[in-house]
Amino acid sequence: MFVVIFGRMTCPFCVRAKQLAEHLETIGTIEGYRYVDMPSEGVTKEDIAKTAGKPIHTVPQVFVDQTHIGGFTEFDRFVREKQLLAPHEDSLR
């Protein structure tokens, strides 16, 4: 499982999504992740909308294995539903 996060470093939810992906990679439940800092890489919400197949209004936007998951809340829900964290870790967030 590979995660791609599109965001801005000034966005608190983007930072949280990146931290969650880093943690998942560390514990081995995902193969890896890539954080795309949109301003520095010249990526726009319109660019992401083309890939996601729907309008994008907020960041972060998270893709897992090229499937659009949504923002941080949806990514967090995805992680819990797929049980990617140990049971005791779920209550720490």
Side-chain angles (χ1 to χ4, degrees):
M1 193 177 309
F2 193 84
V3 175
V4 178
I5 303 165
F6 292 90
R8 293 181 168 90
M9 291 309 293
T10 57
C11 160
F13 284 103
C14 299
V15 172
R16 288 178 67 190
K18 183 177 183 252
Q19 289 171 337
L20 180 54
E22 285 173 347
H23 182 68
L24 294 172
E25 182 181 44
T26 299
I27 64 174
T29 54
I30 65 171
E31 294 170 25
Y33 78 96
R34 177 170 183 244
Y35 183 83
V36 178
D37 182 50
M38 294 169 58
S40 68
E41 296 198 32
V43 177
T44 66
K45 290 179 187 173
E46 291 76 23
D47 296 330
I48 300 168
K50 290 176 189 171
T51 304
K54 61 183 175 182
I56 299 299
H57 303 289
T58 61
V59 290
Q61 290 300 314
V62 180
F63 292 78
V64 175
D65 292 334
Q66 300 180 348
T67 299
H68 183 242
I69 301 299
F72 173 76
T73 302
E74 293 80 13
F75 181 42
D76 185 59
R77 183 180 317 124
F78 174 87
V79 167
R80 284 185 278 113
E81 288 174 355
K82 299 291 184 184
Q83 300 179 344
L84 300 178
L85 292 172
H88 71 282
E89 289 181 308
D90 195 43
S91 63
L92 298 176
R93 285 181 290 132

